[in-house]
Amino acid sequence: MKIFYPLFIPMNAPPTPREAPNRRHEQSEERRRRILDGARACFGEAGFAGATVGRIAERAGVSNGLLYRHFRNKEHLFEVVLAEIIGDWVRAMVPSRRNEPAADALEGMFRRSVDFCRDHPLLPALLRDDRQLQLTRISAASHDRIQPHRDLVASILRRGMAAGELRADLDVPSIADVICQLQSDYSGRAYRRDPDHPDAPEIIDAAVSMVRRAVIA
Amino acid sequence: MKIFYPLFIPMNAPPTPREAPNRRHEQSEERRRRILDGARACFGEAGFAGATVGRIAERAGVSNGLLYRHFRNKEHLFEVVLAEIIGDWVRAMVPSRRNEPAADALEGMFRRSVDFCRDHPLLPALLRDDRQLQLTRISAASHDRIQPHRDLVASILRRGMAAGELRADLDVPSIADVICQLQSDYSGRAYRRDPDHPDAPEIIDAAVSMVRRAVIA
Amino acid sequence: MKIFYPLFIPMNAPPTPREAPNRRHEQSEERRRRILDGARACFGEAGFAGATVGRIAERAGVSNGLLYRHFRNKEHLFEVVLAEIIGDWVRAMVPSRRNEPAADALEGMFRRSVDFCRDHPLLPALLRDDRQLQLTRISAASHDRIQPHRDLVASILRRGMAAGELRADLDVPSIADVICQLQSDYSGRAYRRDPDHPDAPEIIDAAVSMVRRAVIA
Amino acid sequence: MKIFYPLFIPMNAPPTPREAPNRRHEQSEERRRRILDGARACFGEAGFAGATVGRIAERAGVSNGLLYRHFRNKEHLFEVVLAEIIGDWVRAMVPSRRNEPAADALEGMFRRSVDFCRDHPLLPALLRDDRQLQLTRISAASHDRIQPHRDLVASILRRGMAAGELRADLDVPSIADVICQLQSDYSGRAYRRDPDHPDAPEIIDAAVSMVRRAVIA
DNA sequence: TATGAATGAGGGTTCATTCAT
DNA sequence: AATGAATGAACCCTCATTCAT
């Protein structure tokens, strides 16, 4: 069975500086970086509509106008931020060892995803709900990141079923959907520090064990 | 065992008409109603930031200013809408029969919640994530609706454990959290019609069966 | 010979208040008026691009936002201003007596146009050159006002030729074009007080006599 | 009779290269040239306000900043462009033969002006109306170019009157004004291709014949 | 009670100009 | 001399909120 791991193409790698980078270019690049960081934080805190360009620039310590040298407009900036985050997240999540039992692979993914989101100042909050963000125009983003995630989970499930480790009667696409949903939920919690949606270890454990119990033979 | 069903205190009951309601008062009350309906629709479609008071008033067929006679401001209006919706949702969700097996009670709740959200033009989208809505100031709302929901689920779990229907080693608060999370997720999907987050019956079934398997003895 | 005088339909007559106008409505109407006056002045001085809504509002003594209650946007405001001005101008210019000699009719029109523009705080400056104003989207405006003007002049010319008062070999459309051009020029001068383009009486006389000499038999 | 032909003082002659022009200087000069050409095109297309420095630099194939080494600011650049154009225009317009009849001289000037503007990708549109261009600060430019033009026409008129070719009772300054006005009008038309202000040959002919008839004895 | 005209702060965006390199 | 990244003021426009009627 062919497993197809490499999910996402990194969309917004910084333009490869093939010439020796001079000071100017370096500084510019660093400011672009700071803008993206500021945008991550602001979008993460306030959502797309709530974040303001002015605030982002301020946070990045640059002028209002500079933002528009690096990004077409607010929406474009948001797209780039999203793409970056997804790239990071996926890299953190992907199974490290290929031969581990399927249930362990799922649990590993789950926990790595949560841990990544906890440690990283980023916005998995935005990983879920484009509708709220009035970003219907950014349609690709949502689809592009969700389906591959499900496919990855599904491939692990199928591998486990083939190996006899998992129940044989799983409705793979549906179960994969639910697992991904839970993973998104608790990854998101790890970032937001909403006391109403805690990410206490025992809750994560409960989610993980629910997943295990649902799939194991 | 005492089961404590009445979860929510109605927050914004219409001011109790202690005098015999004359015409004026009646009409006023009806307009308040229309404003709330318009707000539900608008907030549901565009989120908090995206909805405008002008639009809401227009939809309600009243003037812009009247809105401010009935509600302190946009935020307050939103709070009231939220509270109302949660009331409706809870009423729809609460177990009908008291003596059914715990697992069935959970499943029933799950499905009723999803169905309610599907049939009702309302905004369970908003049930989850105040942060997105820039409503950090509305902290109470979130807490008030989420904890009671978990308590309800927890009480069912405990009943089932006491009755020997469910596993004895459940970490009740944590499992309740996960179950509520899933229920919110798929209820939300039922309202939004995001093709990337479908609410196909088999997916709902998968979620339900995952829950059952997690708790059943 | 049929003469077709009524050229322009007044486009932006204030919405006829068929009900007894209360104070509120009156004040609103007056503010709309003030905005239009401010806009006339600002557009007249600075052109479309150069005029700013902020400046116009300030000049009208109202808030920035009010402008957008009365007009869709800057462009719409400009259109209305233009239409008003043209209406005024046309009414001022149109021949009063029907039976006067053609050459006198032309001269009368010419002088009335100039006088109107001199006395009136308006912007015939804008009567000529949409291109400068980057108003390609307002294409109709230009055409709608210029051709009728020429037609009016042409009809007078033809009447004079038929009556034997004017030379029989006139190239009517071309001569009409030149006459209108001159009339626009010196009407515009009357408004702008550019010392480099004076509107001294003897210059107007020179223009008028040039026109007479060109057409008279 | 003294005829005073050399009308305009070249305002912005390139800084006289008093040293043998080395490579550096040559290249610099060529870039200045390219900037001016780009500016001509941009101002011509979009007017002063509509043209942007960035666009001009891009069109000239130089950097944004270089523009400010050669010109004080956008306004200065515009002044220089204007002066250049006027120089070109005047050279094209000036009577070639000194002894031709005055009326022919006028007609020749008229037609050469129109032809020049038609053939040349430049901005006689801007020849008339500084006010529109928000360039009230550039007052000199306007005066410097208009009065000499009138003087030239006046001198031809006086010559014709002295020679008995033209009517003896002409109000020379006034007639000169009108002639110059017409000439500007139709020269401008030749450049702009506004269908509402055509420059068809028969219209030009009509204008020319109007002028002739106005002055001829 | 109900209206909707009026306000004005703040939104995203552009662009003339400067200055370190 | 030449670059182009960076600035920030000013642009048009929206919309939550107030208040005279």
Side-chain angles (χ1 to χ4, degrees):
Chain A
M1 162 169 280
K2 268 213 321 198
I3 297 179
F4 193 61
Y5 276 156
L7 311 170
F8 298 86
I9 302 153
M11 294 171 63
N12 284 74
T16 54
R18 33 180 74 84
E19 4 178 7
N22 54 8
R23 267 297 305 284
R24 283 291 286 286
H25 191 266
E26 254 174 54
Q27 202 188 35
S28 175
E29 214 44 56
E30 192 233 326
R31 278 182 165 139
R32 189 190 136 97
R33 189 62 262 150
R34 288 222 306 274
I35 291 173
L36 281 169
D37 291 342
R40 249 184 214 216
C42 287
F43 285 135
E45 288 166 10
F48 179 77
T52 73
V53 191
R55 196 76 192 70
I56 291 172
E58 190 189 12
R59 195 135 170 178
V62 302
S63 75
N64 191 336
L66 183 57
L67 211 142
Y68 288 87
R69 172 166 300 279
H70 289 289
F71 305 95
R72 213 157 35 252
N73 53 26
K74 191 187 178 188
E75 209 164 278
H76 180 215
L77 173 57
F78 185 75
E79 283 180 52
V80 175
V81 165
L82 224 53
E84 269 202 351
I85 284 174
I86 289 161
D88 291 349
W89 177 58
V90 166
R91 270 188 291 282
M93 204 170 53
V94 148
S96 42
R97 296 177 310 145
R98 308 207 143 206
N99 296 14
E100 68 187 335
D104 294 349
L106 285 177
E107 172 167 353
M109 247 184 76
F110 200 116
R111 293 190 183 278
R112 276 193 300 276
S113 172
V114 173
D115 288 345
F116 172 81
C117 292
R118 176 159 27 234
D119 297 349
H120 240 249
L122 94 147
L123 55 167
L126 305 184
L127 287 176
R128 259 182 333 201
D129 221 335
D130 279 354
R131 211 50 84 69
Q132 298 294 10
L133 302 169
Q134 310 170 295
L135 290 177
T136 36
R137 279 172 294 183
I138 311 180
S139 58
S142 177
H143 185 73
D144 287 356
R145 76 199 182 226
I146 289 169
Q147 201 50 50
H149 185 199
R150 286 192 194 125
D151 290 344
L152 174 56
V153 170
S155 71
I156 299 176
L157 289 175
R158 286 206 198 83
R159 171 159 67 86
M161 290 164 74
E165 299 163 17
L166 305 187
R167 299 165 35 103
D169 61 341
L170 292 176
D171 174 357
V172 172
S174 299
I175 291 281
D177 183 301
V178 181
I179 291 173
C180 287
Q181 179 66 55
L182 275 176
Q183 193 175 317
S184 283
D185 289 336
Y186 290 94
S187 298
R189 288 194 186 192
Y191 171 59
R192 301 187 298 270
R193 310 222 167 268
D194 183 354
D196 286 327
H197 293 94
D199 65 328
E202 61 269 21
I203 297 181
I204 304 295
D205 290 343
V208 165
S209 87
M210 185 180 283
V211 168
R212 291 195 85 107
R213 213 179 292 275
V215 297
I216 240 160
Chain B
M1 162 169 282
K2 267 211 321 193
I3 296 180
F4 192 62
Y5 274 157
L7 311 170
F8 298 88
I9 302 152
M11 294 170 63
N12 285 74
T16 54
R18 32 181 76 86
E19 13 178 1
N22 53 10
R23 269 297 306 286
R24 282 289 278 276
H25 190 265
E26 255 175 52
Q27 201 189 34
S28 172
E29 217 39 59
E30 193 233 327
R31 279 179 166 146
R32 187 189 138 96
R33 185 64 262 149
R34 288 222 306 274
I35 291 172
L36 281 169
D37 291 343
R40 242 185 223 217
C42 287
F43 285 135
E45 287 167 9
F48 178 78
T52 72
V53 276
R55 198 76 192 73
I56 291 171
E58 188 189 14
R59 197 137 171 176
V62 303
S63 76
N64 189 343
L66 183 57
L67 209 141
Y68 287 85
R69 187 155 301 279
H70 288 288
F71 305 95
R72 212 155 38 251
N73 53 26
K74 192 188 178 187
E75 211 164 275
H76 180 214
L77 173 58
F78 185 75
E79 283 180 48
V80 175
V81 165
L82 223 52
E84 271 203 350
I85 283 174
I86 288 159
D88 292 350
W89 176 58
V90 166
R91 268 186 293 283
M93 204 169 52
V94 148
S96 44
R97 296 178 310 147
R98 305 206 147 207
N99 296 13
E100 69 186 333
D104 292 349
L106 285 176
E107 173 167 351
M109 247 185 75
F110 200 116
R111 292 190 184 278
R112 276 193 299 278
S113 171
V114 172
D115 287 346
F116 172 82
C117 292
R118 176 162 23 235
D119 295 350
H120 238 250
L122 96 148
L123 54 168
L126 306 184
L127 286 176
R128 258 187 331 206
D129 221 333
D130 281 355
R131 212 53 85 69
Q132 302 289 17
L133 302 167
Q134 314 170 283
L135 290 176
T136 35
R137 279 172 298 180
I138 313 182
S139 56
S142 177
H143 185 73
D144 287 356
R145 77 197 182 230
I146 288 168
Q147 201 49 51
H149 184 200
R150 287 194 194 121
D151 290 344
L152 173 57
V153 170
S155 72
I156 299 177
L157 288 175
R158 286 206 199 84
R159 172 160 66 86
M161 289 164 74
E165 298 164 19
L166 305 187
R167 298 165 36 104
D169 62 340
L170 292 176
D171 174 357
V172 172
S174 298
I175 291 283
D177 182 303
V178 181
I179 292 173
C180 287
Q181 179 66 54
L182 274 177
Q183 193 175 315
S184 283
D185 289 335
Y186 289 94
S187 297
R189 287 192 186 193
Y191 172 59
R192 303 187 296 268
R193 310 221 167 269
D194 183 355
D196 284 328
H197 294 95
D199 65 329
E202 61 269 22
I203 295 180
I204 304 295
D205 290 343
V208 164
S209 88
M210 184 180 283
V211 168
R212 290 195 86 107
R213 210 179 294 274
V215 297
I216 241 160
Chain C
M1 163 169 279
K2 268 213 317 198
I3 298 181
F4 192 62
Y5 275 158
L7 312 170
F8 298 85
I9 302 152
M11 294 171 63
N12 285 75
T16 55
R18 34 180 74 83
E19 2 179 9
N22 53 11
R23 267 295 306 282
R24 284 290 286 284
H25 190 266
E26 255 174 53
Q27 202 187 37
S28 175
E29 215 44 57
E30 193 232 325
R31 279 181 165 140
R32 189 189 136 97
R33 189 62 263 149
R34 288 222 306 274
I35 291 172
L36 281 169
D37 292 342
R40 250 186 213 214
C42 285
F43 285 136
E45 287 167 9
F48 178 77
T52 74
V53 274
R55 197 73 194 74
I56 291 172
E58 190 188 13
R59 194 135 172 178
V62 302
S63 75
N64 190 334
L66 183 58
L67 209 142
Y68 288 86
R69 173 167 300 280
H70 289 289
F71 306 95
R72 214 158 32 254
N73 52 28
K74 192 187 178 187
E75 208 164 278
H76 180 215
L77 174 56
F78 184 75
E79 282 179 51
V80 175
V81 164
L82 223 54
E84 268 203 353
I85 283 175
I86 288 161
D88 293 349
W89 176 58
V90 166
R91 270 186 293 282
M93 204 170 54
V94 148
S96 43
R97 296 178 309 145
R98 306 208 145 205
N99 296 12
E100 68 187 336
D104 293 349
L106 285 177
E107 172 166 353
M109 247 184 74
F110 201 115
R111 293 190 182 280
R112 276 193 300 278
S113 172
V114 173
D115 287 346
F116 172 81
C117 292
R118 174 158 30 232
D119 295 350
H120 239 249
L122 95 147
L123 55 168
L126 304 184
L127 287 176
R128 260 184 330 205
D129 218 335
D130 280 354
R131 211 52 84 71
Q132 299 293 12
L133 302 169
Q134 309 171 296
L135 290 177
T136 36
R137 278 173 296 185
I138 312 180
S139 58
S142 176
H143 185 74
D144 286 357
R145 76 198 181 229
I146 288 169
Q147 202 48 51
H149 185 199
R150 286 192 194 123
D151 290 344
L152 174 56
V153 170
S155 73
I156 298 177
L157 288 174
R158 286 207 198 81
R159 171 161 67 86
M161 288 164 75
E165 298 163 17
L166 304 188
R167 299 165 37 104
D169 62 342
L170 291 176
D171 173 356
V172 172
S174 299
I175 292 281
D177 182 304
V178 181
I179 292 174
C180 288
Q181 179 67 54
L182 275 176
Q183 193 174 316
S184 283
D185 289 335
Y186 289 95
S187 298
R189 288 193 187 192
Y191 171 58
R192 303 187 297 268
R193 310 222 169 267
D194 182 355
D196 286 328
H197 293 95
D199 65 328
E202 61 271 21
I203 296 181
I204 304 295
D205 290 343
V208 165
S209 87
M210 184 180 281
V211 168
R212 289 195 87 107
R213 211 179 292 274
V215 297
I216 241 159
Chain D
M1 161 167 281
K2 266 209 326 193
I3 297 181
F4 193 62
Y5 273 157
L7 311 170
F8 299 87
I9 302 151
M11 293 171 62
N12 284 75
T16 53
R18 29 181 77 85
E19 15 179 358
N22 51 9
R23 268 298 305 284
R24 282 288 278 275
H25 190 266
E26 255 175 52
Q27 201 189 32
S28 173
E29 216 41 58
E30 193 232 327
R31 278 177 166 146
R32 187 188 137 97
R33 187 64 262 149
R34 287 222 306 275
I35 291 172
L36 282 168
D37 291 343
R40 244 186 220 216
C42 287
F43 286 134
E45 287 166 9
F48 178 77
T52 72
V53 185
R55 197 77 191 72
I56 292 171
E58 189 188 15
R59 196 134 170 178
V62 302
S63 76
N64 190 343
L66 183 57
L67 209 142
Y68 287 85
R69 186 154 301 279
H70 288 288
F71 305 95
R72 210 156 40 251
N73 52 26
K74 193 186 176 187
E75 209 164 278
H76 179 216
L77 173 58
F78 185 75
E79 284 180 48
V80 175
V81 165
L82 223 53
E84 271 203 350
I85 284 175
I86 289 159
D88 293 349
W89 176 57
V90 166
R91 269 186 292 282
M93 205 170 52
V94 148
S96 44
R97 295 178 312 145
R98 306 207 144 204
N99 297 13
E100 69 186 333
D104 293 349
L106 285 177
E107 173 166 351
M109 246 184 78
F110 200 116
R111 293 190 184 278
R112 277 192 300 276
S113 172
V114 172
D115 287 346
F116 172 81
C117 292
R118 177 161 24 234
D119 295 350
H120 239 248
L122 96 149
L123 55 167
L126 307 182
L127 285 176
R128 257 183 333 203
D129 221 332
D130 280 354
R131 211 52 85 70
Q132 300 291 17
L133 301 169
Q134 314 167 285
L135 291 177
T136 36
R137 278 172 297 182
I138 312 182
S139 57
S142 177
H143 183 73
D144 286 358
R145 77 198 181 228
I146 288 169
Q147 201 48 50
H149 184 199
R150 287 194 194 121
D151 290 345
L152 173 56
V153 169
S155 72
I156 298 177
L157 288 175
R158 286 206 198 82
R159 172 160 66 86
M161 289 164 75
E165 299 163 16
L166 305 188
R167 298 165 37 104
D169 62 343
L170 292 177
D171 173 357
V172 173
S174 298
I175 291 281
D177 182 303
V178 181
I179 292 172
C180 288
Q181 179 67 52
L182 275 177
Q183 193 176 316
S184 284
D185 289 335
Y186 290 94
S187 298
R189 287 194 186 193
Y191 171 60
R192 301 186 298 269
R193 311 225 167 265
D194 182 356
D196 286 327
H197 294 95
D199 65 328
E202 61 269 22
I203 296 182
I204 304 295
D205 289 344
V208 165
S209 88
M210 184 180 282
V211 168
R212 290 195 85 107
R213 210 179 294 274
V215 298
I216 241 161

